[in-house]
Structures are given as C-alpha cells and as structure tokens.
C-alpha cells in the first residue's frame, strides 16, 4: 500500500538468472579461487589467517636470511667468493623449508576438501556445471597453487635476491635456464605434495583428523623407511616410498644435481614421484566417486 492509499503489486518472486554465464571454465575458476581464499582465511576472522600466514613466513625464512646475508656482506670480490661457498644452491633451498611444507600440507588440503563434505556442499557444487572430475580438478588447482607458495615462491625470491647481490647466474641465458628449472621443478613438486595431502585428507570428514592423517601419512612413511634402510640395512631403493623427500630429490635431479641419494637413479626418482601422484589421484577419485552428493 502506498502513501496515497493505492495498492501496488511488486514482482519480487523467483526470477530466472539472465546475466552472463561463464560455464564450466568459470565454475572451475570460481571454485578454485574461493577454496584458496578459504584456506588462507581471506574474508574470515583474523584467527583463521594466523596459521597459514605463519607457515608461509617460516617457509620464506631461509630465502630471506640468505638474501639478507648476501645483501649486507656482498659486493667485494673476496666476500662474494666466500658467500658462493656458503649459500645453498637453487636446488638445495627448498629443503630448508621442508618442515613448513609438511605443516602446510596438513593445513591446506583438509581446509579445501573436508568442509564441503561435512557441510553437504558437494551436492550444491554438483548442481552447477561442475562434475565430480571437474570439482576435483578445481580443488587440485587450489591446493597445488597454495602449495607453490611454500615450495616455489621462496626459490624465486632467492633467485631475484641473489641476482641483485651479484651472486646469481651469470648471463641472461643461464639466468633464464635457472628460472625455468625453478618453475618446472617447483610446480611438479607442489603438485605431488598437493595430491598426497588431498588423498590423505579424503579418508575422513573431520578436519582435525584429516590434518592428522596428512601429517601421519607423510612423517610415518618417512620414519618407517628410515628404520628399514638405516636400521635393518635394506636396499636404499626403499627410499622411493618416502613421500617427503622424493619431491625434493626430483627438484635436485631437474637441476642436474645428485641430491641426497645419489645411489638412486634419476629415472627411478621421477617414476616414484609419478607413482605417488598417480596413486594419490586414484585414491582421491575413488573416495569422491563413492561420496554422496
């Protein structure tokens, strides 16, 4: 009823959406973006941002420390020669962040996956252009992209810092070769860690249990293999089942270095990482194929 006493009927009921539709690509992009925002706590209370930000800072610390060290002391030819023998190679730097990487795998995948299943959001996602396969693809993009923040970004920062301190690769060709190796190795290692963590997180709908499953899967396998190889003196090829160190070995081999386990051939290192990624993806798909929508 209006102020002058006339009745007015307003059409505020259901209306068909007539805006621009982005289709499957837009649905994958939107799901990946909002999953990443959720993991980082963006748009949520401050307490949700503390853990991921702290872990990212810890992962960056080795690169920041070495770059700061080089920036303060570098410049003199004698000092530069000394620093070149002290600072790690580009293939070695990610190992300095290994503890942060393992912690991050325990935070990222559970937050990206478990909430949807626990809150019944999977059925809502599947009512959009997303299918189970493309939903998993969006989550892999989100988790893998976030993993690169602790695996890939510190090494890129290290490359830029060493270059400004005159301790980086000499010449444009060598510099680009190092950058390409950093990108390729970092993306592949991030993908392997992301798939392992997502597979481990897919076994439960409880976030805390999922984080525990991720940490126990990675650290438990590492400890058991260490006992088998060092304690029981079994073949060093058992290290191929180590999900923590094999991506690091792959990074070293892509740079042409011998890595921590030079007795294991590079082709077996690549095969082991492919096996971990394939097995994790298989488990992930099996779990979501059976998950109720």
């Amino acid at each position: 009823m209006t102020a002058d006493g006339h009745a007015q009927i307003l059409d505020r009921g259901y209306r068909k959406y007539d805006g621009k539709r982005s289709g499957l690509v837009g649905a994958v992009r939107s799901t990946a973006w909002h999953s990443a925002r959720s993991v980082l706590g963006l748009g949520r209370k401050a307490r949700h941002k503390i853990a991921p930000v702290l872990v990212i800072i810890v992962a960056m610390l080795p690169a920041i420390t070495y770059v700061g060290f080089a920036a303060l002391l570098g410049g003199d030819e004698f000092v530069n020669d000394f620093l070149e023998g002290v600072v790690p190679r580009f293939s070695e730097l990610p190992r300095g962040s290994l503890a942060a990487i393992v912690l991050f795998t325990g935070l990222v995948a559970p937050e990206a996956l478990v909430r949807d299943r626990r809150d019944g959001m999977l059925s809502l996602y599947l009512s959009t252009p997303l299918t189970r396969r493309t939903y998993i693809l969006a989550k892999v993009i989100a988790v893998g992209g976030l993993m690169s923040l602790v695996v890939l970004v510190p090494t890129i920062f290290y490359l830029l810092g060493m270059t400004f301190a005159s301790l980086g690769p000499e010449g444009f060709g060598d510099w680009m070769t190092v950058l390409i190796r950093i990108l390729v190795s970092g993306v592949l290692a991030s993908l392997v860690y992301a798939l392992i963590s997502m597979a481990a997180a897919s076994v439960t709908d409880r976030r805390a249990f999922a984080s525990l499953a991720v940490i126990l899967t990675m650290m438990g396998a590492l400890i058991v293999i260490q006992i088998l190889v060092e304690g029981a003196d079994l073949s060093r090829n058992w290290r191929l089942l180590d999900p923590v160190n094999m991506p690091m070995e792959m990074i070293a081999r892509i740079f042409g270095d011998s890595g921590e386990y030079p007795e294991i051939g590079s082709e077996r290192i690549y095969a082991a990482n492919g096996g971990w990624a394939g097995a994790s993806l298989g488990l992930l798909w099996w779990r979501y194929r059976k998950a109720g929508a």
Side-chain angles (χ1 to χ4, degrees):
M1 185 71 71
T2 60
D4 57 4
H6 296 289
Q8 185 177 7
I9 299 176
L10 298 177
D11 182 9
R12 298 185 183 277
Y14 171 79
R15 292 182 179 181
K16 183 180 179 181
Y17 175 73
D18 55 2
K20 182 180 179 182
R21 294 181 183 275
S22 55
L24 178 59
V25 174
V28 171
R29 181 176 60 239
S30 178
T31 302
W33 170 243
H34 287 289
S35 298
R37 282 177 53 87
S38 175
V39 171
L40 294 177
L42 302 180
R44 302 168 69 188
K45 293 183 178 178
R47 68 174 184 272
H48 296 289
K49 302 178 180 66
I50 295 174
V53 170
L54 279 180
V55 175
I56 292 172
I57 291 173
V58 170
M60 290 291 296
L61 276 180
I64 293 172
T65 301
Y66 286 119
V67 168
F69 193 53
L72 288 174
L73 301 180
D76 181 81
E77 184 176 352
F78 175 78
V79 175
N80 282 355
D81 290 342
F82 169 74
L83 288 174
E84 285 180 351
V86 173
V87 296
R89 294 191 296 269
F90 295 105
S91 62
E92 296 173 330
L93 187 76
R95 280 197 175 274
S97 306
L98 195 53
I101 291 171
V102 173
L103 280 177
F104 203 62
T105 58
L107 292 173
V108 174
E111 186 65 33
L113 295 177
V114 172
R115 288 181 65 190
D116 290 348
R117 295 203 308 273
R118 185 190 62 210
D119 298 340
M121 294 294 291
L122 181 59
S123 58
L124 186 60
Y125 279 113
L126 296 182
S127 68
T128 69
L130 289 173
T131 64
R132 292 175 190 271
R133 285 189 178 86
T134 50
Y135 171 82
I136 292 175
L137 172 63
K139 294 295 181 177
V140 170
I141 293 172
V143 177
L146 291 171
M147 285 302 304
S148 71
L149 293 177
V150 294
V151 177
L152 176 61
V153 172
T155 315
I156 292 178
F157 175 81
Y158 185 62
L159 170 63
L160 296 175
M162 289 294 112
T163 301
F164 283 115
S166 300
L167 290 169
E170 295 183 0
F172 179 74
D174 289 345
W175 196 89
M176 286 301 298
T177 300
V178 171
L179 177 62
I180 291 171
R181 285 177 171 172
I182 289 173
L183 293 174
V184 171
S185 62
V187 168
L188 291 177
S190 298
L191 183 61
V192 174
Y193 283 127
L195 289 173
I196 292 173
S197 62
M198 291 174 70
S202 70
V203 301
T204 176
D205 291 342
R206 302 286 295 274
R207 185 180 178 282
F209 290 162
S211 294
L212 191 61
V214 173
I215 300 295
L216 286 180
T217 297
M218 302 189 75
M219 299 308 298
L222 172 63
I223 293 170
V224 169
I225 291 165
Q226 196 73 12
I227 292 172
L228 291 175
V229 175
E230 301 295 337
D233 202 23
L234 295 182
S235 169
R236 293 184 177 275
N237 286 326
W238 279 92
R239 293 194 185 279
L240 295 170
L241 299 178
D242 175 359
V244 176
N245 284 302
M246 280 304 104
M248 291 291 143
E249 282 298 298
M250 179 173 62
I251 291 175
R253 304 308 169 94
I254 290 175
F255 275 87
D257 295 341
S258 56
E260 294 288 312
Y261 312 121
E263 69 278 9
I264 302 177
S266 296
E267 69 284 353
R268 281 178 284 175
I269 297 290
Y270 295 135
N273 281 281
W276 271 110
S280 300
L281 193 59
L283 175 59
L284 190 62
W285 168 244
W286 179 72
R287 288 288 300 167
Y288 273 85
R289 184 177 62 83
K290 298 174 69 70

